[in-house]
């Protein structure tokens, strides 16, 4: 789909709507409520795909959707939809051809010890936006949906964007079913234990969207530092994620001379230092991160036989990501050869940089101007489900500020008045596409 059909059907520009009592919507309290699912002792939130906290949160959300007059439904991946049915059945598109719904939402899963806003804000805002529109403007002409995407982070299994990729058909269960989490549980066991998967009786995940709009915290500090309320996302960075495995030889810490060791962890440490120096050499906006390192046998008086570290490379241009990976692989190979170590790697994720839909972006800009909200167009350094949807349906993202730019951390915070400004833009946009002519 290249033409953005919603805009065509919305016809000429029409003014934004007065939104009576919008400020009374209890967005903060619903966010606080959702954050109790997976609340951890460090004050953060941990909800991992198909784990108990995740299951309880999705089912509690389904109940809330029902209470708010939306029709809840799960798909086989565990994505949860709340639907506000429109009264137009493909008018002007030939009898009985249902128009694809306009969908908003985000992901329900988190990183380990994450914050309460990443993903959850877009889900909660979507539920409350549809409830508000139903209560104040009745049945829309075009069906509106909110989706609580089952997984985006890749925190439990070495695979990210499972929710959106299973919807667009970019990935299927056969691709992930053998993956294991750190406890050795397979993806196939986890999805079945959570009550989803092909034998669950839920409908397939594949679904056609007329458009996807994601409201999300910025997770950086550009908006706060520049003093803007809204970020209109121009592009989302591309990224590559790997597991790098270094294999040496376990040996006695006391009797093995330094020159005779095959120390996997010492080798990995030198490689990780090279990641940082190559990324600094490449310069902004390239970022490369090693977030996890494991060593075997992992005891203090044994030279490590094996070390595994994660690698996450991002940039707004694909060729810069590719070149950085090649430079790093060259450095890793040199270090491995010098220290007589074996080097293996596995690529878990490769998503290309992608611009957001221009028409929706222009509509968001118009709404910000008419609502007198200060905004800037900006790239996203974080990955999002929106980059999975954009290739198959018109997609756009709206950012609100993150205090001190902190995210993926229990200290993640966005002031309520900033949350409500983003919510206001979302409601106006959904009104335009759902109730426009
Ligand atoms: O890692 C990311 O960019 C996102 O928060 N999943
Ligand atoms: Mn995240
Ligand atoms: Mn997110």
């Amino acid at each position: 789909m290249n033409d953005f059909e919603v805009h065509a059907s919305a016809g000429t520009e029409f003014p934004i709507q007065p939104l009576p009592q919008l400020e009374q919507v209890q967005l903060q309290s619903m966010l606080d409520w959702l954050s109790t699912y997976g609340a951890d002792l460090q004050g953060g939130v941990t909800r991992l795909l198909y784990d108990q906290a995740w299951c309880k949160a999705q089912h509690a959300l389904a109940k809330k959707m029902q209470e708010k007059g939306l029709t809840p439904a799960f798909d086989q991946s565990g994505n949860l939809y709340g639907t506000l049915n429109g009264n137009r059945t493909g008018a002007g598109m030939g009898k009985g051809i249902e128009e694809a719904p306009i969908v908003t939402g985000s992901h329900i899963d988190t990183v380990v010890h994450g914050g309460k806003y990443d993903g959850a804000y877009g889900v909660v805002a979507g539920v409350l936006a549809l409830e508000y529109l139903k209560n104040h403007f009745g049945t829309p002409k075009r069906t509106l949906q909110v989706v609580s995407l089952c997984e985006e982070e890749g925190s439990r299994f070495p695979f990210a964007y499972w929710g959106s990729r299973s919807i667009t058909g970019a990935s299927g269960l056969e691709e992930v079913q053998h993956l294991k989490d750190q406890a050795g549980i397979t993806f196939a066991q986890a999805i079945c234990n959570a009550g989803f998967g092909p034998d669950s009786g839920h409908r397939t995940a594949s679904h056609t969207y007329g458009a996807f709009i994601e409201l999300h915290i910025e997770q950086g500090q550009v908006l706060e530092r520049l003093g803007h309320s809204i970020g209109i996302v121009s592009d989302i960075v591309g990224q590559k994620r790997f597991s790098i495995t270094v294999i040496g030889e376990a040996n006695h810490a006391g009797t093995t001379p330094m020159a005779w060791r095959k120390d996997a962890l010492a080798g990995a440490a030198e490689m990780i230092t090279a990641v940082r120096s190559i990324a600094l050499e490449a310069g902004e906006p390239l970022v490369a991160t090693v977030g996890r390192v494991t060593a075997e046998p992992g005891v203090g008086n044994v030279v490590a036989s094996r070390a595994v570290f994660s690698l996450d490379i991002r940039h707004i241009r694909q060729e810069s990501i590719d070149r950085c990976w090649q430079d790093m692989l060259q450095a890793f190979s040199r270090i491995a050869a010098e220290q007589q170590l074996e080097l293996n790697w596995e690529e878990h994720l490769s998503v290309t940089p992608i611009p957001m839909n221009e028409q929706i972006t222009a509509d968001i800009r118009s709404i910000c101007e008419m609502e007198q909200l200060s905004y800037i167009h900006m790239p996203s350094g974080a990955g999002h489900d929106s980059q999975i949807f954009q290739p198959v349906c018109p997609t756009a993202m709206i950012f609100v500020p993150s205090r001190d730019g902190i995210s993926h951390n229990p200290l993640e915070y966005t002031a309520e008045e900033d949350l409500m400004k983003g919510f206001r833009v979302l409601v106006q946009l959904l009104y335009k596409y759902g109730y426009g002519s």
Side-chain angles (χ1 to χ4, degrees):
M1 172 191 305
N2 39 37
D3 293 331
F4 185 41
E5 58 171 348
V6 177
H7 192 69
S9 65
T12 53
E13 277 302 311
F14 66 97
I16 51 171
Q17 293 307 313
L19 299 175
Q21 300 154 333
L22 188 83
E23 297 312 320
Q24 291 169 20
V25 171
Q26 298 302 307
L27 197 148
Q28 183 66 59
S29 61
M30 188 168 168
L31 263 175
D32 295 340
W33 163 80
L34 183 56
S35 69
T36 61
Y37 294 90
D40 58 37
L41 300 177
Q42 289 78 3
V45 181
T46 303
R47 274 193 307 265
L48 305 184
L49 179 62
Y50 305 136
D51 76 2
Q52 202 181 38
W54 178 98
C55 286
K56 286 185 176 168
Q58 281 292 59
H59 287 289
L61 267 173
K63 188 162 173 286
K64 276 273 188 216
M65 288 174 176
Q66 186 95 40
E67 290 164 2
K68 293 177 178 298
L70 307 180
T71 310
F74 285 102
D75 67 23
Q76 285 180 9
S77 298
N79 296 305
L80 168 63
Y81 288 91
T83 301
L84 177 58
N85 281 309
N87 56 23
R88 186 169 64 196
T89 52
M93 297 167 66
K95 268 285 169 252
I97 300 175
E98 275 303 307
E99 279 179 310
I102 302 297
V103 185
T104 187
S106 193
H107 57 95
I108 189 70
D109 70 312
T110 68
V111 294
V112 174
H113 304 324
K116 67 183 340 183
Y117 301 86
D118 178 3
Y121 172 48
V123 173
V124 167
V127 171
L128 294 174
L130 266 53
E131 179 193 35
Y132 177 85
L133 288 167
K134 179 179 66 65
N135 292 346
H136 288 85
F137 300 100
T139 303
K141 294 176 182 165
R142 181 160 189 174
T143 295
L144 300 173
Q145 286 184 316
V146 51
V147 62
S148 173
L149 294 162
C150 62
E151 190 277 343
E152 184 267 350
E153 297 287 2
S155 304
R156 178 174 180 186
F157 295 96
F159 191 89
Y161 307 107
W162 165 240
S164 45
R165 288 164 94 172
S166 64
I167 292 166
T168 62
S171 297
L173 193 55
E174 68 290 341
E175 187 180 343
V176 294
Q177 59 188 352
H178 300 306
L179 294 176
K180 289 187 177 175
D181 67 8
Q182 295 195 335
I185 298 172
T186 66
F187 196 103
Q189 287 163 328
I191 193 171
C192 182
N193 295 344
F196 298 101
D199 307 329
S200 62
H202 294 298
R203 66 167 183 77
T204 62
S206 64
H207 187 35
T208 306
Y209 290 3
F212 180 66
I213 298 145
E214 186 170 10
L215 181 58
H216 204 287
I217 54 172
E218 178 200 339
Q219 299 179 292
Q221 53 187 25
V222 170
L223 291 176
E224 183 180 62
R225 285 206 175 185
L226 299 183
H228 289 291
S229 302
I230 301 291
I232 305 177
V233 176
S234 52
D235 320 67
I236 301 178
V237 290
Q239 50 180 298
K240 277 186 176 294
R241 294 188 194 176
F242 301 89
S243 283
I244 312 293
T245 301
V246 184
I247 298 171
E249 186 179 77
N251 218 324
H252 196 294
T255 58
T256 314
M258 295 306 285
W260 293 357
R261 296 178 173 207
K262 293 180 181 177
D263 185 336
L265 189 49
E270 221 175 297
M271 293 173 193
I272 293 169
T273 305
V275 165
R276 178 171 161 74
S277 49
I278 291 168
L280 288 169
E281 178 69 25
E284 298 293 337
L286 183 121
V287 286
T289 312
V290 174
R292 186 178 59 240
V293 186
T294 57
E296 292 171 18
V299 289
N301 62 349
V302 178
V303 175
S305 56
R306 180 188 170 90
V308 182
F309 62 90
S310 62
L311 176 59
D312 175 314
I313 304 171
R314 305 187 189 197
H315 196 286
I316 207 73
R317 283 195 313 277
Q318 188 61 42
E319 61 274 15
S320 302
I321 298 170
D322 295 339
R323 190 168 54 249
C324 177
W325 165 238
Q326 288 310 316
D327 292 347
M328 288 184 180
L329 185 54
Q330 206 174 4
F332 298 167
S333 305
R334 175 181 51 75
I335 294 163
E338 286 165 0
Q339 300 188 25
Q340 296 167 48
L341 300 168
E342 192 185 324
L343 174 69
N344 296 315
W345 65 90
E346 190 182 348
E347 182 176 276
H348 298 310
L349 177 72
S350 182
V351 283
T352 55
I354 194 158
M356 293 288 94
N357 176 272
E358 283 184 13
Q359 187 55 64
I360 308 180
T361 299
D363 290 340
I364 295 169
R365 184 174 57 243
S366 306
I367 288 169
C368 289
E369 286 166 357
M370 289 189 270
E371 288 281 5
Q372 296 176 336
L373 293 170
S374 70
Y375 68 89
I376 48 166
H377 290 271
M378 60 185 288
S380 170
H384 296 285
D385 291 300
S386 289
Q387 72 196 105
I388 306 299
F389 286 119
Q390 172 57 21
V392 296
C393 78
T395 298
M397 287 197 79
I398 305 161
F399 277 169
V400 293
S402 293
R403 183 179 62 186
D404 300 332
I406 292 176
S407 182
H408 284 186
N409 178 320
L411 295 176
E412 186 179 273
Y413 175 79
T414 295
E416 185 169 2
E417 68 169 313
D418 288 332
L419 296 172
M420 290 306 289
K421 288 173 184 173
F423 180 67
R424 175 176 287 273
V425 174
L426 178 69
V427 170
Q428 288 288 8
L429 197 62
L430 293 174
Y431 178 85
K432 179 182 178 70
Y433 295 158
Y435 296 80
S437 57

